[in-house]
Amino acid sequence: MENNTPDLNSSNTEIINIREILIKYLQKWHWFLISVIVCLAIAYFYLKTTNEQFDVQTTILIRKDNSKSGLLDMSMLDGLGGVSGTSKEVEDEIQLLSSKTLMTNVIKSLGIETEYYEKNGLRYDEIYPLTPLKLITPPLFNDTVKQSVLFKLKRKDAGYQIDFKSGRFSERYEVPDLNKTINTPLGAFKFQQILPIKVGDSFKIISNSTRLLTDAYCSSIKANSATKKSNAINVSTVSACPKKSEAVLDKLIELYNQDAVIDKNLIATSTAAFVQERIKLIGTELLDVEMNVENYKKKNKLTDITTDADIFLQSASEYDTKLAGLETQLNLVGYIEAYVKDNKHHYDLVPANLGIEDKSLLQLMADYNKELLERMKLLRTTNERNPVLMQMEQQLKEQRNSIIVSIASIKDGLKIAKKDVLGKTSQFNSRINGVPTQERELTEILRQKEIKSKLYLFLLQKREENALSLASTIPSAKTIDPAYSSLAPVSPKRTMIYFLALLLGIILPMVYIYVADLLNNKILDSKELKRLIKVPYLGSIGLKKDAGIVVVREGLTTPIVEMFRIIRTNIQFMLAGKEKPVILITSSISGEGKSFTAINLAMTFALLKKKVILVGLDIRSPMLGNYLHLSKEKGITIYISDESYIAEDIIVPSDLHPYLDVIPAGPVPPNPAELMMNQRLDDLFLQLREMYDYIIIDSAPIGLVSDTYLLNRLADNCVYVARQNYTPREACTLINEIYEHNKLNNMSVILNGTDESSGYGYGYGYGQRHHKTDSAEKMNLINKIRK
């Protein structure tokens, strides 16, 4: 027995007892077992219904292409087909690989807008590439539909059951065979059987919107640089159908290379068209000149030039050659000038390397073409209102003006050189004045023919070089590793899921118990009760659900019997040798085990061969007679109200023990408080003190009525009964108030309904442990009495 003083701050300063916490949780081990089994079952069901995900990846190397492409130096295309190794250029290629346009082309090329799944146990597994059936959709359905369409198909004995669902539409169809057209709210669909389908086979077919499917693939496929200093790019995804993902990645790289080759050949193709146009024009002019030569010779009947003019003509020929070269340069520069000034070629690439000798003009044209290519590349991913695009257009305009200005300057220089050559030619012409006019005129015509012929042959040569460049273009990316999938699935991780399920199965009961303790306003155990009250604590009474009301009997040594014996010993110390004491049993509210305690406590005293009487004074709600199966016709209420009755008339043998008698409460009176104050009750107890060694009173709950306070005049010791997980914590305030104001004589407290194994370790060595417990209780009681 202990005298406890509650500490309001004890919850903050109390040392955590790990052993007590473990014992509290281990007492509910079956909760943990059930929780673990349920969580593991959920994990097992999740693994059975979840598709395994595999990692699929491929690696490509971006080439740096320094080859020439016909008329144009292909180093200008480094930003398109091959990168120079900088991270910025690799990032540009990653953006191309991640573009929605490229992914849309991949989806359409593979025809994977519709997905096919076969039921395998509790889940559906995707089938690719060979499917047992094919869904035929309306024309352009996948390009126009806004949401996915789901078909669930099951083979039955008499045909097929097809469930259709899309958004708010849901229909079921029964068809004898798959060749029948199914008319749905979204159009007419038809299935084409490819492989035999057995009875009971179930399939799920999903026809997706191309736009939504493109977004999904773009989100799932990741492209990253292998290392910061490398041109290699890793392209990967995670998929439940690895074969399909391998096909998607391979097709993605294939179309990416095709797109890059098209970009590389764009300038060469533009140059080829320009050269072909000039060949056609020069060919016509050359034919006209040749016809003039033929007609002039026929008209003047000329067959050969006189040898006398050979020496003069040879000297003049050198200047004629220079003049021809100057004329060629003037024509080429004129062609370029006309091409640049023509509005229909405003955003076309300027032909380069046509034979123009001026290096500054060549550099200007190369810079202009490179800037124009960047603009064309940017147009693929943005619109014409982009500020960067508008700035590039301004730069192109300035570069075009620079080319025009440079051409004008070059033309001026060529004209000056031509004038100088013409002056030299005039000097030789003056020396051949004697040559017949016909020969001089013929020479002029032949000179024009020579100029046209050289230009024509030059353009034919460039056309062949450009065609060779188109034929020898290589892909931009080299595939290092074709698409391959991991051997083991990357998710779900079975070991991790089972471990988490096991961990969750352990944590959930712990959290529930902890939260329940936080929300519970009942007294949890004896330690909490001792901490909250100031009243001496007699002991605990274990919970024995199947033992009935009377648990203390002759010859029994169960743990709960020993608990009552300890309480009996502590009460004897509190009585301090008082003879024939009256012990009052009360509680805060009904249901705390007050009558149960009174009956069994009386039995413990009867086992000492002491005459004991149990008096039922809970006259408002008498339960003592019901527990002991006594008649309600006689009792203490009859004795108090009818003076003809004597004590022997209401005393009833208990039939539990020869030394235990009972006085039941009797009928419920209309004035219980007045009966408690009646003098006959005092006289009765005087007689009982003479007849019995111990008098046990089963009184009313003190928290509900005042009857128990009225009985305090008769009691030598008051035992207050609380019940674990039943009595509210607020009742401790009432208990302390009663004790501090001495409203009940020699008050002490018992905790009823405790877990039998929580405080008493019966079994091996229990006697020694209880001996120590009794000794401690006795020492506390002696200290209390001395105080």
Side-chain angles (χ1 to χ4, degrees):
M1 186 188 67
E2 301 175 7
N3 185 17
N4 306 287
T5 301
D7 184 1
L8 297 177
N9 297 322
S10 61
S11 60
N12 297 328
T13 60
E14 184 180 5
I15 299 175
I16 298 176
N17 191 325
I18 302 299
R19 181 176 177 275
E20 291 182 3
I21 295 176
L22 289 176
I23 290 175
K24 180 174 67 173
Y25 286 113
L26 289 176
Q27 288 173 352
K28 296 180 175 59
W29 61 269
H30 53 283
W31 289 18
F32 290 89
L33 179 60
I34 294 173
S35 177
V36 167
I37 292 175
V38 170
C39 290
L40 289 177
I42 293 174
Y44 177 80
F45 180 78
Y46 170 78
L47 292 174
K48 283 294 184 181
T49 56
T50 303
N51 295 100
E52 293 180 336
Q53 302 287 327
F54 294 84
D55 182 35
V56 183
Q57 59 179 325
T58 182
T59 305
I60 61 173
L61 179 65
I62 306 300
R63 288 190 176 98
K64 183 179 180 181
D65 189 1
N66 294 322
S67 63
K68 307 295 182 179
S69 178
L71 304 179
L72 186 64
D73 186 354
M74 290 302 294
S75 62
M76 296 168 56
L77 297 178
D78 283 347
L80 288 175
V83 298
S84 61
T86 62
S87 60
K88 178 182 179 300
E89 293 171 334
V90 172
E91 286 295 327
D92 291 340
E93 302 306 316
I94 289 175
Q95 292 301 319
L96 288 176
L97 286 168
S98 305
S99 65
K100 293 184 178 180
T101 302
L102 189 59
M103 185 54 66
T104 301
N105 293 335
V106 170
I107 293 172
K108 290 182 177 296
S109 298
L110 295 176
I112 55 175
E113 295 94 339
T114 302
E115 300 172 348
Y116 300 88
Y117 298 84
E118 183 176 10
K119 192 170 186 181
N120 182 13
L122 297 177
R123 66 171 180 260
Y124 284 92
D125 293 330
E126 187 171 1
I127 312 170
Y128 186 88
L130 187 61
T131 59
L133 69 165
K134 182 180 180 181
L135 176 65
I136 301 175
T137 60
L140 301 177
F141 173 78
N142 299 103
D143 294 331
T144 57
V145 70
K146 295 183 179 179
Q147 55 190 352
S148 300
V149 175
L150 171 64
F151 287 94
K152 284 189 176 181
L153 184 146
K154 185 175 182 180
R155 174 67 188 273
K156 291 187 173 182
D157 295 331
Y160 296 86
Q161 175 183 304
I162 301 176
D163 292 323
F164 165 82
K165 186 175 182 181
S166 178
R168 58 187 179 87
F169 300 110
S170 181
E171 302 286 344
R172 170 167 288 185
Y173 306 92
E174 299 285 347
V175 295
D177 56 74
L178 292 180
N179 295 323
K180 184 178 180 180
T181 301
I182 301 173
N183 295 313
T184 70
L186 298 182
F189 294 85
K190 187 176 181 180
F191 287 95
Q192 178 182 356
Q193 184 172 341
I194 301 174
L195 297 175
I197 300 176
K198 297 181 296 183
V199 175
D201 288 349
S202 295
F203 299 92
K204 182 171 68 173
I205 301 96
I206 302 176
S207 188
N208 299 288
S209 165
T210 303
R211 182 174 179 179
L212 295 179
L213 192 61
T214 299
D215 293 340
Y217 273 107
C218 287
S219 300
S220 63
I221 295 179
K222 308 298 180 184
N224 300 296
S225 176
T227 61
K228 292 183 178 180
K229 296 182 179 180
S230 171
N231 287 352
I233 297 176
N234 291 331
V235 185
S236 63
T237 185
V238 176
S239 171
C241 185
K243 290 185 179 180
K244 181 178 179 181
S245 296
E246 289 174 6
V248 169
L249 293 186
D250 287 338
K251 180 61 70 172
L252 178 68
I253 302 304
E254 178 186 343
L255 296 184
Y256 163 77
N257 277 329
Q258 290 181 6
D259 186 65
V261 169
I262 292 173
D263 284 346
K264 283 186 176 183
N265 291 335
L266 187 59
I267 295 178
T269 303
S270 177
T271 302
F274 172 78
V275 170
Q276 185 63 33
E277 180 182 352
R278 301 313 302 172
I279 286 176
K280 183 178 180 181
L281 179 62
I282 297 301
T284 303
E285 293 178 356
L286 180 60
L287 180 62
D288 292 341
V289 172
E290 289 176 345
M291 292 297 296
N292 289 338
V293 173
E294 181 182 354
N295 293 332
Y296 187 85
K297 286 186 176 183
K298 287 181 178 181
K299 179 180 179 182
N300 294 282
K301 298 180 179 181
L302 297 176
T303 58
D304 193 8
I305 301 174
T306 61
T307 57
D308 296 339
D310 287 344
I311 297 175
F312 300 103
L313 291 175
Q314 184 177 0
S315 299
S317 177
E318 296 178 358
Y319 288 95
D320 289 338
T321 301
K322 292 183 180 180
L323 183 61
L326 292 173
E327 288 286 349
T328 300
Q329 290 293 312
L330 279 171
N331 285 332
L332 291 174
V333 170
Y335 295 156
I336 296 297
E337 183 181 27
Y339 187 87
V340 172
K341 290 183 177 181
D342 194 349
N343 290 331
K344 71 178 183 179
H345 301 298
H346 189 63
Y347 287 108
D348 292 340
L349 297 168
V350 177
N353 286 351
L354 291 174
I356 297 175
E357 298 175 354
D358 192 89
K359 294 183 178 180
S360 61
L361 178 59
L362 290 176
Q363 185 62 40
L364 286 174
M365 290 190 294
D367 293 340
Y368 177 82
N369 285 340
K370 185 175 182 179
E371 188 71 20
L372 188 59
L373 287 172
E374 291 293 334
R375 175 186 178 274
M376 295 167 67
K377 185 175 182 179
L378 184 60
L379 271 175
R380 298 177 185 175
T381 57
T382 184
N383 54 48
E384 295 183 352
R385 297 182 180 179
N386 190 299
V388 177
L389 187 64
M390 297 175 66
Q391 183 179 1
M392 293 180 68
E393 291 178 350
Q394 182 63 31
Q395 292 177 359
L396 288 172
K397 183 177 180 182
E398 293 174 359
Q399 290 179 349
R400 185 180 287 271
N401 292 333
S402 298
I403 292 173
I404 295 173
V405 171
S406 179
I407 289 174
S409 176
I410 293 171
K411 288 179 65 177
D412 292 339
L414 291 174
K415 288 178 180 179
I416 294 172
K418 179 182 177 182
K419 184 177 181 181
D420 183 65
V421 171
L422 287 175
K424 295 293 183 180
T425 304
S426 331
Q427 294 179 4
F428 287 97
N429 287 337
S430 63
R431 295 181 182 182
I432 58 173
N433 286 331
V435 178
T437 303
Q438 293 86 356
E439 187 174 3
R440 181 177 54 78
E441 291 177 352
L442 180 58
T443 301
E444 182 69 23
I445 295 174
L446 291 175
R447 184 171 59 242
Q448 295 295 327
K449 176 185 176 182
E450 181 181 4
I451 293 172
K452 298 297 183 183
S453 297
K454 288 184 177 180
L455 184 59
Y456 186 77
L457 292 175
F458 174 79
L459 291 175
L460 288 177
Q461 179 184 356
K462 292 302 178 182
R463 184 179 67 178
E464 295 304 318
E465 292 177 357
N466 194 66
L468 182 61
S469 175
L470 284 171
S472 62
T473 302
I474 61 175
S476 178
K478 175 184 178 182
T479 301
I480 299 176
D481 292 320
Y484 65 94
S485 60
S486 59
L487 296 177
V490 295
S491 70
K493 299 184 181 297
R494 294 180 175 272
T495 304
M496 180 62 70
I497 289 176
Y498 278 125
F499 173 76
L500 292 177
L502 178 63
L503 187 62
L504 187 63
I506 296 173
I507 291 176
L508 286 178
M510 294 178 64
V511 172
Y512 176 79
I513 294 171
Y514 177 75
V515 173
D517 288 347
L518 289 179
L519 299 179
N520 185 21
N521 67 337
K522 312 297 183 183
I523 296 174
L524 296 178
D525 51 32
S526 60
K527 291 187 177 182
E528 182 181 31
L529 179 62
K530 293 175 186 179
R531 190 177 70 249
L532 296 176
I533 64 174
K534 303 176 182 179
V535 186
Y537 184 73
L538 291 179
S540 303
I541 300 174
L543 185 63
K544 197 73 173 177
K545 296 182 180 180
D546 56 350
I549 296 298
V550 182
V551 296
V552 178
R553 294 182 182 272
E554 188 77 39
L556 290 180
T557 58
T558 59
I560 194 170
V561 173
E562 297 302 325
M563 293 177 185
F564 273 105
R565 286 173 176 165
I566 292 172
I567 293 173
R568 178 191 64 189
T569 303
N570 290 333
I571 290 176
Q572 288 176 328
F573 273 92
M574 291 196 69
L575 293 173
K578 184 177 183 61
E579 296 182 358
K580 300 182 181 298
V582 177
I583 303 172
L584 185 143
I585 311 296
T586 187
S587 64
S588 301
I589 55 178
S590 60
E592 293 176 297
K594 168 179 57 61
S595 300
F596 166 78
T597 303
I599 294 171
N600 288 282
L601 188 59
M603 279 292 297
T604 59
F605 284 107
L607 294 177
L608 296 176
K609 307 301 181 181
K610 301 291 184 179
K611 296 190 65 175
V612 182
I613 187 166
L614 180 59
V615 183
L617 281 176
D618 185 2
I619 60 176
R620 296 178 184 266
S621 179
M623 298 300 295
L624 188 62
N626 294 338
Y627 293 152
L628 298 179
H629 307 289
L630 302 177
S631 174
K632 297 182 179 180
E633 296 179 357
K634 293 183 179 181
I636 199 167
T637 56
I638 299 294
Y639 172 82
I640 297 174
S641 59
D642 189 348
E643 294 184 358
S644 63
Y645 278 83
I646 60 176
E648 287 76 5
D649 294 335
I650 59 175
I651 296 175
V652 180
S654 66
D655 293 335
L656 299 175
H657 196 276
Y659 285 86
L660 177 61
D661 294 330
V662 182
I663 298 179
V668 178
N671 55 343
E674 286 73 12
L675 290 181
M676 294 295 101
M677 295 297 294
N678 196 297
Q679 182 61 36
R680 280 180 60 80
L681 182 61
D682 295 74
D683 295 340
L684 175 63
F685 272 82
L686 289 176
Q687 296 181 44
L688 295 177
R689 285 180 186 269
E690 295 177 357
M691 299 169 59
Y692 295 93
D693 297 315
Y694 289 93
I695 303 172
I696 309 297
I697 300 177
D698 177 25
S699 65
I702 202 169
L704 301 177
V705 294
S706 62
D707 297 358
T708 303
Y709 293 117
L710 301 177
L711 298 174
N712 187 49
R713 70 185 190 276
L714 305 174
D716 299 307
N717 182 275
C718 294
V719 177
Y720 202 104
V721 179
R723 185 173 179 178
Q724 181 174 302
N725 293 322
Y726 187 85
T727 302
R729 290 193 181 98
E730 292 78 6
C732 295
T733 303
L734 175 62
I735 295 172
N736 289 329
E737 181 183 354
I738 295 171
Y739 180 75
E740 290 174 350
H741 293 84
N742 200 22
K743 294 182 178 180
L744 294 177
N745 296 329
N746 208 10
M747 181 177 172
S748 58
V749 174
I750 291 175
L751 182 61
N752 182 32
T754 62
D755 189 344
E756 185 175 329
S757 61
S758 64
Y760 295 89
Y762 291 94
Y764 175 78
Y766 95 92
Q768 183 180 4
R769 284 195 294 271
H770 278 286
H771 175 72
K772 293 181 179 179
T773 303
D774 291 347
S775 298
E777 296 289 350
K778 292 175 182 178
M779 290 302 298
N780 289 329
L781 182 58
I782 292 172
N783 293 332
K784 174 64 179 176
I785 294 173
R786 288 177 178 175
K787 290 180 180 180

